Amino acid sequence: MDALAPLHQALRDPLVVGVLGSVVVIFVVRTFYQWYRLSHIPGPFWAAFSKYWMVRESLKGRQPFAIKEVTDKYGSLARIGPNELVTDDPDVLRKMMSVRSPYTRGPWYDAMRFDPERDNLFSMRDEAEHARLRGKMAPGYSGKENESMEKTIENQIARLVELIETKYLSTPTDYRPMDFAQKGQYFTLDVISDLAFGQAFGYLEQDDDVFDYIKITNSYIPVMLVLANVPSMAKLLQSRLLRGLLPKESDKLGFGAFIG
């Protein structure tokens, strides 16, 4: 018995054929419209039809380099997606970032939301709310109302120097290399946590990645960037159905512990 018989029978039904034909026509028209509306702007060929180019480059971990190659090849304004443009023109960027600019943040920023129900300063797209939150946070980091800022930073500098002197000073018989990029991350996170919470998390003191924050960040950020390129995926992940996969305040490691 032909296993495909039901399919063959369905394809003989004029209603099914009409529905399938309508779907194909809609897909073709939509694809053509996506291509045509920005067709006057040059860029990689397949980028005009889907976000495959952006996702592919972000999965490779080289999207910033790929974007520079695009502007080098196609000019200061280039197309890298059906509805995405990139520019390296400082005059355009200055206009976009100016006070009362008509440009606003796009759906890309939704993927930067660690808590699905609450925006952070980086993910917030509402301009008025963003300005209000910045106004609340600014005094704590400007130094005007935080009289201990300079002393806090000096204390962490002293801890960094102490760490280097006690563990990483080489001798004629003992070579002690140090990854300064890593210690710089430890220093930065201790300064931020000390200023924000009144107590450093102890990266420099323990000379270790507390909560595995840096390790998990390095693995999570590339995924976050892929989601940012496809905002619908980020929205799905932040939905009630899949929200449990995101970091939570009750986590013992990574972003969740940091949020908690």
Side-chain angles (χ1 to χ4, degrees):
M1 184 175 181
D2 187 0
L4 297 178
L7 178 60
H8 293 156
Q9 183 65 32
L11 291 176
R12 295 192 187 99
D13 188 331
L15 179 61
V16 173
V17 173
V19 170
L20 291 176
S22 298
V23 170
V24 172
V25 170
I26 291 172
F27 174 77
V28 171
V29 170
R30 183 174 180 272
T31 302
F32 175 79
Y33 174 74
Q34 283 186 333
W35 166 80
Y36 179 75
R37 64 189 298 269
L38 294 174
S39 59
H40 59 289
I41 300 175
F45 177 76
W46 290 112
F49 297 96
S50 75
K51 295 193 176 185
Y52 168 74
W53 184 89
M54 297 171 62
V55 172
R56 183 192 65 187
E57 297 302 332
S58 61
L59 286 173
K60 290 180 179 179
R62 64 179 308 274
Q63 188 169 355
F65 305 103
I67 288 175
K68 183 181 185 305
E69 292 168 3
V70 166
T71 54
D72 288 344
K73 180 177 181 180
Y74 296 101
S76 62
L77 183 65
R79 186 180 190 179
I80 57 173
N83 197 42
E84 286 76 30
L85 305 178
V86 63
T87 181
D88 61 1
D89 187 331
D91 291 331
V92 175
L93 294 173
R94 193 176 297 114
K95 179 181 178 181
M96 292 174 63
M97 298 177 184
S98 64
V99 178
R100 290 180 291 277
S101 167
Y103 292 90
T104 58
R105 294 183 173 198
W108 187 91
Y109 287 88
D110 290 339
M112 304 299 131
R113 186 186 299 147
F114 302 137
D115 184 340
E117 298 181 347
R118 184 169 53 201
D119 276 305
N120 56 63
L121 194 61
F122 191 68
S123 69
M124 189 171 288
R125 296 172 59 193
D126 186 300
E127 297 295 320
E129 286 297 311
H130 186 265
R132 184 182 64 81
L133 184 58
R134 283 189 62 183
K136 282 185 175 182
M137 296 178 63
Y141 294 91
S142 65
K144 295 180 180 179
E145 295 186 15
N146 190 342
E147 298 179 356
S148 65
M149 174 176 284
E150 188 172 338
K151 181 174 176 57
T152 296
I153 296 175
E154 288 178 349
N155 287 341
Q156 297 308 322
I157 292 174
R159 288 188 179 182
L160 175 60
V161 172
E162 180 183 3
L163 174 64
I164 295 172
E165 290 181 342
T166 55
K167 292 186 65 174
Y168 296 103
L169 285 185
S170 297
T171 67
T173 58
D174 187 11
Y175 177 55
R176 301 175 181 177
M178 184 189 78
D179 183 351
F180 192 79
Q182 181 192 63
K183 308 311 174 189
Q185 286 182 299
Y186 291 175
F187 168 76
T188 301
L189 289 168
D190 269 351
V191 168
I192 292 173
S193 56
D194 202 351
L195 286 173
F197 308 116
Q199 181 178 355
F201 283 174
Y203 290 88
L204 293 173
E205 182 179 355
Q206 299 182 37
D207 190 20
D208 194 20
D209 181 8
V210 181
F211 307 128
D212 282 344
Y213 175 78
I214 297 173
K215 175 184 176 182
I216 295 177
T217 299
N218 289 338
S219 60
Y220 185 67
I221 291 297
V223 176
M224 184 184 294
L225 292 178
V226 172
L227 292 175
N229 287 329
V230 190
S232 57
M233 289 178 58
K235 189 173 183 179
L236 176 63
L237 186 60
Q238 293 168 355
S239 67
R240 292 185 180 277
L241 181 64
L242 300 177
R243 190 173 297 175
L245 299 176
L246 295 175
K248 302 180 292 295
E249 294 180 5
S250 58
D251 292 345
K252 300 300 182 182
L253 298 173
F255 272 120
F258 210 71
I259 294 170

